[in-house]
Amino acid sequence: MNFLFVFAYEETNISQMKVHTPPLGIGYMAAFLKQAGHSVRAVDLQVQHKQDVFDNMDGVEMVGISILTNYFEHAVDLVSELRERGFNGKIVLGGPHVTALAEESLRDSGADYACVSEGEEVMLDFAAGKPGEEIPGICWIENGEFRQNPMRAFNKPLDEYPFPAIEVFQLERYGSYNMTLVSPSTRDGIIMTSRGCPFRCDFCYRDDINKRMRMRSAENIVAEIKQLKERYGYRKYSFIDDCFNANIKQAKRICQAIIDAKLDIIFTLPNGMRADLVDDELAGLMKKAGCIGANIGVESWDEGVAEKMDKRLKKDEVINAVQLFRKHGIICTAYFIMGHYWDTKESVKRNIEAVKELGADFFQFTNFVPVPGSPAYNMLRREGLLDIKSFREYSLFGSKLLFKHPILSETDIHSSIRIANQKAAFRLRTLVVMLKRPIILWNVFRQFGQIMALTKITEFGRPPDLKMSTNKTEA
Ligand code: B12
């Protein structure tokens, strides 16, 4: 069969900065299909124009669209345009947003099928000619009724999966996750060493399958890196697991295998690691294996709020992890969420104080967005507290307040983010880190405009102490 996959994105937003990386979900599905002898094309709208979709429709029998929440409405537009242009093959939607909101996704888009959770085996079933109505993991609308087949079991070991077929993408158009740590021309090799996460943080998307963690063997990961190196010459890698060190022994095994194989790579861990699962041995092995940057998901500097978010981290554990990364020379960024439903004026102030107390190399403060498929989203929806007019409003940076916060207003949250980011940017530590690593200094200089816009640090004018308003009418 002939398949075309599309990664939904905002047409007007095609980045000149090369910060995007190839979507591995499509890469994996393409690998399964190609292995079974089918023809697969892909258009990634992060780096390509929508016209490329229409130009690639020749002979296509099924279109699969991969969707994250904030690009859902772009996917809806694409479905309509495909139909208007006369495509009458099946259109199947998938990805985290669709898994979380399958019925709404089908009703709002008019697509034929929605895939819940992972799509590799689902697509093989389609390719084998099975009707969607008989495929486990598939949903559809029939006579106005939402119908859903049972979930799949996903028992196949990850080591038996083919490596993602990234050749379906225009690889020269991509860049690196870590624009500040590497030279502008760097392209990342993207690796998923595991699927799923055993933790239950309430702001994070989870489906029934990825509550369970599945791991690849260290040997299998090394083999993929070797292949990427040989074929594409990547030297820098991003391991984009939900949580790289969710299993600390496995994280050590992977680093050790990279060291033993003398791969001579560098890598970063863009997603939040667990601070309570970092020890001296792991930080040392990470460094030896080539890790240049690691991020820690702190989320709140108020242990009570961290507990309510189900993050359950102690400040001591975070400080310890940061010190270990610093000791071993790994650049460490701490992620914080501002304006979580559980945040109070005091907890937000505490987050700002973390800049002084934690001593991470960099900080990233972003506003809380209730992500469909996360426990927080489900809770807010149940309680009737969501205030979402369009999924286009979803963005970690400068997003609208998408729910009724009992205490904080949108302005409170945005100004606290601004203050925190200002404090984080203008520190001796930042200066020292930049002076020690000229590439960081150069990147900051190069991207000054974007960084300013992102952190809104140009918008001074508010006193440095937080003057919060109360939003009692909305409570
Ligand atoms: C890399 C990544 C990104 C990358 C690009 C996405 C990409 N390349 O796929 C970037 C940086 C763009 C990104 C952005 C965002 N991300 Co992100 N990201 C990820 C991350 C870490 C890995 C994605 C990945 O490669 N997964 C591995 C592959 C194998 O899984 P997959 O992509 O889900 O695909 C499988 C299934 O979903 C399904 N599938 C997917 N597409 C399709 C299509 C069809 C037709 C079918 C049948 C099946 C199918 O089958 C695939 C194979 O099994 C995930 C976490 C995770 N573990 O997935 C978060 C994740 C996808 N991101 C998430 C979020 C929330 C975001 C943001 C929207 C955050 C925000 N609110 O701003 C931002 C958008 C930022 C912005 N302002 O633009 C959530 C998604 C929740 C949601 N409801 O959409 C996740 C799940 C993190 C989390 N646990 O909360 N992200």
Side-chain angles (χ1 to χ4, degrees):
M1 253 181 98
N2 269 308
F3 294 90
L4 176 75
F5 285 104
V6 182
F7 188 78
Y9 202 73
E10 204 172 334
E11 164 81 1
T12 50
N13 210 12
I14 294 176
S15 173
Q16 302 303 311
M17 297 272 300
K18 298 208 168 181
V19 293
H20 295 295
T21 53
L24 280 195
I26 292 179
Y28 272 108
M29 289 184 287
F32 270 65
L33 289 168
K34 286 177 97 176
Q35 201 178 48
H38 302 282
S39 151
V40 184
R41 275 172 265 173
V43 175
D44 177 359
L45 295 177
Q46 294 179 107
V47 294
Q48 289 175 262
H49 289 279
K50 216 196 259 183
Q51 188 56 42
D52 290 359
V53 176
F54 309 128
D55 292 346
N56 270 292
M57 289 304 292
D58 203 25
V60 168
E61 294 162 272
M62 176 174 263
V63 173
I65 309 179
S66 185
I67 309 175
L68 296 184
T69 291
N70 40 350
Y71 311 123
F72 175 68
E73 281 156 40
H74 302 287
V76 172
D77 293 346
L78 181 64
V79 174
S80 314
E81 282 173 64
L82 283 168
R83 292 301 185 213
E84 277 161 22
R85 286 166 184 260
F87 175 66
N88 51 22
K90 299 287 184 201
I91 301 180
V92 51
L93 310 180
H97 181 82
V98 177
T99 299
L101 301 176
E103 183 172 353
E104 286 97 321
S105 300
L106 283 170
R107 290 196 192 281
D108 293 351
S109 68
D112 299 290
Y113 300 114
C115 166
V116 169
S117 196
E118 298 179 13
E120 289 90 343
E121 293 171 15
V122 163
M123 293 309 292
L124 278 186
D125 281 352
F126 275 122
K130 270 196 189 175
E133 292 72 7
E134 290 173 18
I135 300 178
I138 279 293
C139 311
W140 69 100
I141 304 279
E142 196 175 294
N143 301 324
E145 292 283 308
F146 175 68
R147 308 286 298 270
Q148 176 162 22
N149 282 335
M151 293 286 287
R152 306 186 82 97
F154 299 105
N155 288 327
K156 189 175 164 125
L158 291 182
D159 275 10
E160 289 174 23
Y161 282 32
F163 299 147
I166 58 166
E167 67 274 14
V168 297
F169 300 114
Q170 303 198 346
L171 294 175
E172 69 289 353
R173 298 190 180 215
Y174 295 96
S176 171
Y177 263 111
N178 301 83
M179 293 183 303
T180 29
L181 300 191
V182 290
S183 78
S185 58
T186 305
R187 288 192 193 113
D188 284 1
I190 305 293
I191 307 263
M192 232 15 217
T193 78
S194 64
R195 291 198 186 187
C197 175
F199 297 99
R200 298 283 170 270
C201 308
D202 79 346
F203 47 83
C204 190
Y205 162 91
R206 282 279 144 270
D207 67 36
D208 287 340
I209 300 304
N210 67 14
K211 279 177 181 155
R212 180 168 63 98
M213 192 164 173
R214 288 173 292 157
M215 289 175 286
R216 297 168 60 187
S217 68
E219 295 69 35
N220 185 258
I221 296 157
V222 165
E224 186 180 355
I225 297 174
K226 277 188 178 158
Q227 194 188 82
L228 286 169
K229 238 187 136 183
E230 274 162 30
R231 283 200 188 156
Y232 308 107
Y234 294 131
R235 177 154 187 268
K236 154 79 174 55
Y237 292 80
S238 276
F239 296 151
I240 59 161
D241 302 48
D242 281 6
C243 182
F244 175 73
N245 64 336
N247 182 320
I248 185 170
K249 282 192 190 145
Q250 168 74 353
K252 288 176 186 173
R253 273 196 294 269
I254 295 169
C255 293
Q256 191 60 59
I258 294 172
I259 298 165
D260 293 345
K262 299 191 173 38
L263 290 178
D264 184 29
I265 60 164
I266 53 172
F267 67 91
T268 52
L269 300 160
N271 294 337
M273 291 176 70
R274 287 286 309 188
D276 51 350
L277 293 172
V278 177
D279 62 17
D280 193 44
E281 187 189 4
L282 176 63
L285 284 171
M286 281 166 58
K287 178 68 187 177
K288 235 174 137 187
C291 182
I292 55 167
N295 299 339
I296 296 182
V298 186
E299 323 305 356
S300 179
W301 206 232
D302 180 306
E303 287 181 1
V305 172
E307 174 95 18
K308 282 187 182 155
M309 289 175 178
D310 270 331
K311 181 78 198 186
R312 296 172 201 283
L313 268 188
K314 300 269 171 276
K315 285 167 149 186
D316 290 352
E317 294 164 334
V318 182
I319 292 170
N320 179 49
V322 167
Q323 280 171 355
L324 288 172
F325 285 141
R326 280 181 62 170
K327 174 181 161 192
H328 289 281
I330 295 171
I331 299 282
C332 168
T333 302
Y335 288 149
F336 282 82
I337 295 175
M338 285 289 208
H340 190 286
Y341 179 77
W342 301 116
D343 263 325
T344 61
K345 292 178 195 178
E346 291 69 32
S347 68
V348 163
K349 278 186 189 159
R350 248 167 237 142
N351 286 349
I352 298 173
E353 283 158 18
V355 172
K356 237 194 300 166
E357 294 169 16
L358 182 55
D361 297 312
F362 294 103
F363 286 83
Q364 189 173 296
F365 292 89
T366 43
N367 60 310
F368 169 68
V369 281
V371 172
S374 66
Y377 176 91
N378 295 338
M379 183 276 283
L380 292 168
R381 188 171 170 158
R382 231 179 13 250
E383 302 294 322
L385 293 170
L386 288 178
D387 184 15
I388 301 167
K389 288 179 192 64
S390 155
F391 288 119
R392 289 175 205 255
E393 294 173 348
Y394 269 78
S395 168
L396 283 178
F397 305 107
S399 165
K400 287 203 158 69
L401 187 56
L402 298 170
F403 64 103
K404 293 187 174 61
H405 198 289
I407 300 163
L408 306 170
S409 71
E410 193 171 282
T411 319
D412 293 334
I413 295 166
H414 286 181
S415 63
S416 59
I417 291 175
R418 195 170 65 233
I419 291 163
N421 281 329
Q422 283 167 11
K423 289 199 180 230
F426 298 111
R427 282 178 311 144
L428 187 63
R429 175 86 208 138
T430 320
L431 192 67
V432 171
V433 172
M434 289 197 295
L435 290 176
K436 271 195 188 161
R437 293 173 181 76
I439 187 70
I440 302 181
L441 188 63
W442 166 238
N443 284 330
V444 168
F445 175 71
R446 214 173 43 85
Q447 297 154 20
F448 196 64
Q450 270 102 345
I451 292 170
M452 285 297 208
L454 213 63
T455 59
K456 297 196 176 89
I457 56 178
T458 43
E459 294 176 35
F460 286 103
R462 260 184 96 90
D465 61 325
L466 268 177
K467 297 257 185 314
M468 298 287 199
S469 67
T470 9
N471 214 6
K472 288 217 175 81
T473 44
E474 286 186 1

